[in-house]
Amino acid sequence: MDASTSGTPTIQHHSIPDQPIAPIVAPPVTTFQRQIRHCFGDSKPGEFPLAANPSIVLHVLTACNLDAQDLAKLEATCSFFRQPANFAPDHELSIAELAALDMCQERAIFKPMTEEERQNLKQRCGGSWKLVLRFLLAGETCFRREKSQAIAGPGHSIAVTSKGVVYSFGSNSSGQLGHGHTEEDWRPRPIRSLQEIRIIQAAAGAGRTMLISDAGKVYAFGKDSFGEIEYGVQGSKLVTTPQLVESLKDIFVVQAAIGNFFTAVLSREGRVYTFSWGNDGKLGHSTEPNDVEPHPLLGPLENIPVVQIAAGYCYLLCLACEPDGRMSVYSVGCGLGGKLGHGSRTDEKYPRRIEQFQNLNLQPMVVAAGAWHAAVVGRDGRVCTWGWGRYGCLGHGNEECESVPKVVEALRNVKAVHVATGDYTTFVVSDDGDVFSFGCGESASLGHSIFADGQGNRHANVLSPELVTSLKQMNERVVQISLTNSIYWNAHTFALTESGKLYAFGAGDKGQLGVELVNNQTERGNPERVDIDLS
């Protein structure tokens, strides 16, 4: 088929005469003076191009919510960030310091402080607002300050909503539920007498409860003694409704931790105070078993701010901010089982820093104290455990004791953000909301299947971390785990999700799960939703 028959127009060809091709001649090269160019334009190296309007830079730094480490790096790499910015309230402060101060002023605990209190905190943290910011942010990271939380105490439970409303349920033989009577109750009920008070943190011990308000006040109820009833040290009266702890009225408290034979509180400035340690081993001070006056923890931590405390069986752990910018853990008390982390089983009368974290190049961010073992989550997501390894509660695949912190290798592919420890049990929460547990399988408190194995064992111990599939199936991101930390009670466990839902499993014989058990049941093997909205 040719072009005429196909309908395609005929292409006309034109004759183009051949022309000589002129040679391409390069123009003469002009010689330029070599100039030094860099990313800051015409400024000198180390200067910053927005220096003409530093308020813009300050706004950006504050809005980005940088942490203290980031601000310090800016100062180290550019002179603009470390020179005096000539801004109020302190014209000598650098842009980085001003940004840190602005971010401190957004923290709920910092806002009500007077100027004198702020300056005292600054000096205690090392003389820098960046270090104050590090201190405040670390405190928010390691426990759910100003957020909802659930506490699985020995036989009873406490739940705090994000608005500061407190629910309690379970055993109430000492009035530890705070409802004005001593009858146990499996239904979560709000504590009516606290209606006008916003609670931000709770602690539960054997027969007693402590609550902390956003104003730093401490309310306690239950046994009026700090001794254990099992050892015959029972108070002269029971307190069945929350009562202000008068001895702490001059201390702004942000956290409480109840251990065996003692209670510790942490002040807003990072100071630790303890009540009663008993006659055999003094916790950094001398006191009697029933002493209810707070005593400051003596020793190295007198001048180092603490951001979190955790209490176990006769020992205390403190997460502290060192003046050089490092985070560290101090331990004090009974060293049985190696739970103090110093490579021995020796008791420590005064707080002593655990040096192994420096050897591991690990920055501790969250600390947990079980009855006989302890755990830490590092900034990089690694988990360390140490102490008595019975039932596999250390997660190292055996039941050996570890007298210094040891990384849980089975979690090397998991970035952890939270850890909780109990009586020979441990839970780890990853950054994507997955939950792993290991240790003693009694009371179904690990959350794994309770079907009998080939030998008829319904509650097998778990020596290495295992994913809690029953929580994974909830399709909810878990943000907090709380479990019973007492050698005298069967354990139960709470899992709190990002949306404010609360799930419970484990022992429920006293109603501590917040769900009704029927047909003579004493425990719940699979997580069940508790009828409280904590969001």
Side-chain angles (χ1 to χ4, degrees):
M1 181 180 295
D2 58 23
S4 59
T5 59
S6 66
T8 303
T10 303
I11 300 175
Q12 300 295 323
H13 297 275
H14 299 277
S15 297
I16 301 176
D18 292 336
Q19 296 179 358
I21 300 175
I24 299 175
V25 179
V29 179
T30 305
T31 304
F32 290 96
Q33 184 70 32
R34 188 171 182 271
Q35 296 179 346
I36 298 174
R37 306 290 294 175
H38 49 74
C39 61
F40 294 140
D42 294 329
S43 351
K44 295 178 181 177
E47 293 183 350
F48 193 71
L50 291 179
N53 195 348
S55 61
I56 296 177
V57 184
L58 179 61
H59 174 75
V60 170
L61 294 183
T62 303
C64 288
N65 286 323
L66 300 179
D67 61 25
Q69 215 170 27
D70 295 326
L71 294 174
K73 288 178 181 177
L74 286 175
E75 284 189 335
T77 55
C78 183
S79 63
F80 169 74
F81 289 102
R82 57 179 179 267
Q83 292 172 353
N86 199 31
F87 277 177
D90 187 339
H91 293 272
E92 296 301 315
L93 292 181
S94 68
I95 286 287
E97 276 287 280
L98 285 168
L101 176 57
D102 283 352
M103 285 185 276
C104 287
Q105 291 172 338
E106 295 300 316
R107 317 331 293 181
I109 286 180
F110 191 82
K111 285 180 179 179
M113 297 178 74
T114 66
E115 183 58 31
E116 182 181 359
E117 289 170 336
R118 292 179 177 185
Q119 291 298 329
N120 288 338
L121 178 59
K122 180 182 178 183
Q123 294 308 312
R124 182 168 171 78
C125 288
S128 164
W129 291 119
K130 295 188 296 297
L131 295 178
V132 174
L133 178 63
R134 176 199 58 159
F135 170 75
L136 297 176
L137 293 179
E140 293 176 3
T141 298
C142 57
F143 61 92
R144 295 181 60 79
R145 184 182 292 170
E146 307 287 336
K147 296 180 181 179
S148 58
Q149 57 187 263
I151 308 298
H156 74 289
S157 304
I158 304 293
V160 183
T161 72
S162 59
K163 295 182 179 179
V165 179
V166 182
Y167 290 80
S168 62
F169 44 99
S171 176
N172 196 29
S173 58
S174 300
Q176 61 265 43
L177 297 186
H179 298 310
H181 56 76
T182 56
E183 298 175 4
E184 66 185 42
D185 196 344
W186 66 267
R187 296 179 182 83
R189 300 185 188 277
I191 300 178
R192 302 293 181 186
S193 61
L194 294 172
Q195 282 184 336
E196 302 301 321
I197 302 171
R198 182 171 183 262
I199 299 300
I200 63 168
Q201 203 261 332
R208 61 185 180 272
T209 304
M210 298 182 79
L211 304 174
I212 299 169
S213 75
D214 59 349
K217 303 299 181 183
V218 181
Y219 300 83
F221 42 102
K223 291 191 298 183
D224 69 334
S225 163
F226 289 92
E228 296 298 324
I229 187 172
E230 289 79 6
Y231 284 80
V233 185
Q234 175 68 28
S236 59
K237 64 177 181 178
L238 302 179
V239 180
T240 59
T241 57
Q243 301 294 318
L244 183 68
V245 180
E246 291 291 335
S247 60
L248 290 170
K249 64 183 180 181
D250 295 327
I251 302 172
F252 195 111
V253 176
V254 294
Q255 189 198 355
I258 302 176
N260 296 75
F261 310 111
F262 77 101
T263 295
V265 297
L266 178 65
S267 79
R268 176 173 59 182
E269 299 79 18
R271 291 186 173 89
V272 181
Y273 299 82
T274 62
F275 298 81
S276 180
W277 185 250
N279 289 321
D280 294 332
K282 305 297 190 291
L283 187 63
H285 60 74
S286 298
T287 184
E288 295 303 317
N290 295 327
D291 189 356
V292 295
E293 292 295 322
H295 297 268
L297 191 62
L298 305 180
L301 291 177
E302 292 181 66
N303 298 310
I304 298 176
V306 172
V307 297
Q308 184 202 0
I309 53 176
Y313 193 88
C314 301
Y315 76 107
L316 180 70
L317 299 179
C318 300
L319 179 64
C321 292
E322 299 285 353
D324 61 5
R326 292 184 299 114
M327 302 293 293
S328 59
V329 179
Y330 288 75
S331 61
V332 60
C334 172
L336 188 63
K339 59 182 182 286
L340 295 186
H342 302 304
S344 69
R345 301 186 181 187
T346 306
D347 295 351
E348 298 289 341
K349 182 178 179 181
Y350 298 103
R352 180 181 170 190
R353 186 169 63 191
I354 300 176
E355 301 294 346
Q356 180 66 3
F357 295 115
Q358 189 170 359
N359 299 332
L360 294 172
N361 193 28
L362 185 143
Q363 282 271 353
M365 295 301 293
V366 181
V367 61
W372 299 100
H373 74 292
V376 153
V377 173
R379 185 184 180 92
D380 58 5
R382 284 184 292 168
V383 177
C384 287
T385 58
W386 68 96
W388 200 353
R390 193 177 181 186
Y391 305 121
C393 63
L394 300 185
H396 301 311
N398 54 47
E399 297 187 48
E400 300 296 323
C401 293
E402 298 290 344
S403 58
V404 295
K406 180 179 179 180
V407 175
V408 181
E409 291 297 332
L411 292 172
R412 60 183 174 275
N413 295 324
V414 174
K415 184 176 182 180
V417 294
H418 173 71
V419 65
T421 49
D423 180 17
Y424 302 120
T425 51
T426 305
F427 279 75
V428 173
V429 180
S430 72
D431 61 345
D432 57 5
D434 286 338
V435 179
F436 301 82
S437 67
F438 43 98
C440 182
E442 291 182 6
S443 305
S445 62
L446 289 179
H448 302 304
S449 174
I450 62 169
F451 294 113
D453 59 19
Q455 290 150 4
N457 183 9
R458 296 178 64 246
H459 301 309
N461 301 324
V462 178
L463 302 184
S464 295
E466 289 186 8
L467 179 68
V468 183
T469 56
S470 56
L471 288 173
K472 181 78 169 178
Q473 294 167 358
M474 299 294 179
N475 293 321
E476 291 272 354
R477 182 188 177 92
V478 174
V479 294
Q480 184 214 0
I481 292 288
S482 177
L483 61 155
T484 308
N485 182 7
S486 172
I487 63 175
Y488 302 120
W489 289 84
N490 290 330
H492 68 292
T493 304
F494 286 132
L496 177 63
T497 70
E498 194 172 41
S499 63
K501 295 184 179 67
L502 183 63
Y503 293 89
F505 49 96
D509 53 315
K510 296 294 183 180
Q512 62 266 47
L513 292 179
V515 297
E516 186 176 13
L517 300 181
V518 295
N519 300 326
N520 296 320
Q521 286 182 312
T522 60
E523 62 189 36
R524 184 74 68 174
N526 293 314
E528 184 160 335
R529 173 82 185 276
V530 182
D531 190 19
I532 315 177
D533 183 7
L534 298 181
S535 63

